Amino acid sequence: LIVEFRIQPDLKFERRGHDLYCNQQVSVLDLVVGSSFEFTTLSGKTLEVRVPPKTLPYMHLNISREGMPIYGTSQYGDQIILIKPFIPDNIDSRITDSILQSRKK
């Protein structure tokens, strides 16, 4: 008996050892002031992930023990979320005016 496995890449998660990596888009405004978002883990658990104020683009957020199981133990790897910034389509003119005023100081 010959068994052949073909593993297809997942569209959301990338496995690196026991850790799972994925991308999360966050508005640049939310990176500045802080925010949170709901994140569904590979196991289906929904978590609220907090993005602290002044978070830098492409920073990693780590969720402990939400990655892949470590064979022979009761341990799990981590879920690593890469923050990818985006600029919202609609930015209130008061926000852009405030940013311009702060640059003049």
Side-chain angles (χ1 to χ4, degrees):
L1 176 66
I2 297 175
V3 178
E4 182 177 318
F5 290 97
R6 293 185 184 182
I7 300 173
Q8 298 290 334
D10 189 86
L11 296 177
K12 182 175 180 178
F13 299 104
E14 177 187 342
R15 182 177 181 168
R16 296 183 195 168
H18 298 294
D19 295 334
L20 288 176
Y21 285 74
C22 68
N23 298 322
Q24 177 68 39
Q25 286 195 325
V26 177
S27 155
V28 292
L29 302 174
D30 289 336
L31 293 177
V32 172
V33 298
S35 69
S36 63
F37 59 89
E38 284 191 352
F39 180 80
T40 303
T41 64
L42 185 64
S43 64
K45 189 186 308 182
T46 300
L47 304 172
E48 181 147 345
V49 177
R50 187 175 163 278
V51 178
K54 300 179 183 176
T55 296
L56 296 174
Y58 304 104
M59 183 178 151
H60 290 93
L61 300 176
N62 189 348
I63 303 173
S64 297
R65 299 180 298 281
E66 288 297 333
M68 298 301 292
I70 299 173
Y71 179 76
T73 72
S74 60
Q75 303 292 316
Y76 284 79
D78 294 340
Q79 173 69 62
I80 313 295
I81 302 171
L82 174 65
I83 300 298
K84 292 235 175 173
F86 75 93
I87 298 174
D89 291 334
N90 302 343
I91 299 177
D92 189 294
S93 62
R94 292 176 296 178
I95 293 172
T96 55
D97 291 344
S98 177
I99 292 170
L100 290 171
Q101 288 300 320
S102 69
R103 292 181 67 195
K104 291 179 181 178
K105 292 180 181 179

